[in-house]
Amino acid sequence: EPADVRLIKAYAPEVAVLAFMHTPDDMEEMADAGADFIRLWDQWVVPERISKIQSIGKQVWIMACRPTVGDIEEKEKAYADYASWGADGILVNEIEPALAYFCDINKN
C-alpha cells in the first residue's frame, strides 16, 4: 500500500522499494509515495504505460508470467516485446528458460 511505502521511505530512504500494486491505476500513487520501481503484471503491459512510468522517473519491472507455464515461444515473444518497449527489468519464475533466451539473444 502507498502508506507502507511512505513508512519505509521515512524510516530508511536509501531502501529501494518495488511497488506491488492492486491495479495499474495505482502506479501514480505508488510513485508519489516514493516507490523506486513499479512492478507491472504482464497483462498490464503496454508500451504507453512503460513510457508513462519512466517519464515520472521510475523504473518498470515486469512480472512475466504469461502465458501458461511451458509455452516458451509465447514467453520469448513477450520478453522481446518488453525489452523493445524499454522495460528496465523482467521478473520471472522460470529462470533457466529465461536465461537461455537472454543469453542466446545477447550472442547476436
Side-chain angles (χ1 to χ4, degrees), residues 1-7 9 28-35 58:
E1 299 298 326
D4 300 322
V5 174
R6 283 188 197 87
L7 180 64
K9 288 298 192 173
E28 288 182 31
E29 188 175 6
M30 288 296 234
D32 290 344
K58 305 300 178 179

Side-chain angles (χ1 to χ4, degrees), residues 3-6 13 21 23 26 30 38 41 46-48 52 54 58-59 62 66 82 85 88 92 95 104:
D4 300 322
V5 174
R6 283 188 197 87
M21 304 176 306
T23 73
D26 298 333
M30 288 296 234
I38 304 297
W41 287 103
V46 292
E48 298 79 16
K52 183 175 183 178
Q54 291 172 334
K58 305 300 178 179
Q59 288 192 18
I62 299 168
R66 78 166 174 177
Y82 303 154
W85 296 339
D88 297 292
V92 298
I95 303 298
D104 188 52

Side-chain angles (χ1 to χ4, degrees), residues 1 13 18 22 36-37 53 67 72 76-78 80-81 96 101:
E1 299 298 326
L18 174 66
H22 299 284
D36 302 284
F37 310 96
I53 293 167
I72 195 63
E76 288 176 358
K77 180 186 180 314
D81 287 344
E96 290 180 8
Y101 172 74

Side-chain angles (χ1 to χ4, degrees), residues 86-100:
D88 297 292
I90 300 173
L91 305 163
V92 298
N93 290 329
E94 297 166 318
I95 303 298
E96 290 180 8
L99 280 175

Side-chain angles (χ1 to χ4, degrees), residues 3 9 12 16 27 34 39 41-42 54 56 75 97 99 106-107:
K9 288 298 192 173
M27 66 186 185
R39 185 206 57 178
W41 287 103
D42 53 5
Q54 291 172 334
I56 59 175
K75 285 185 182 190
L99 280 175
N106 287 326
K107 290 179 186 174

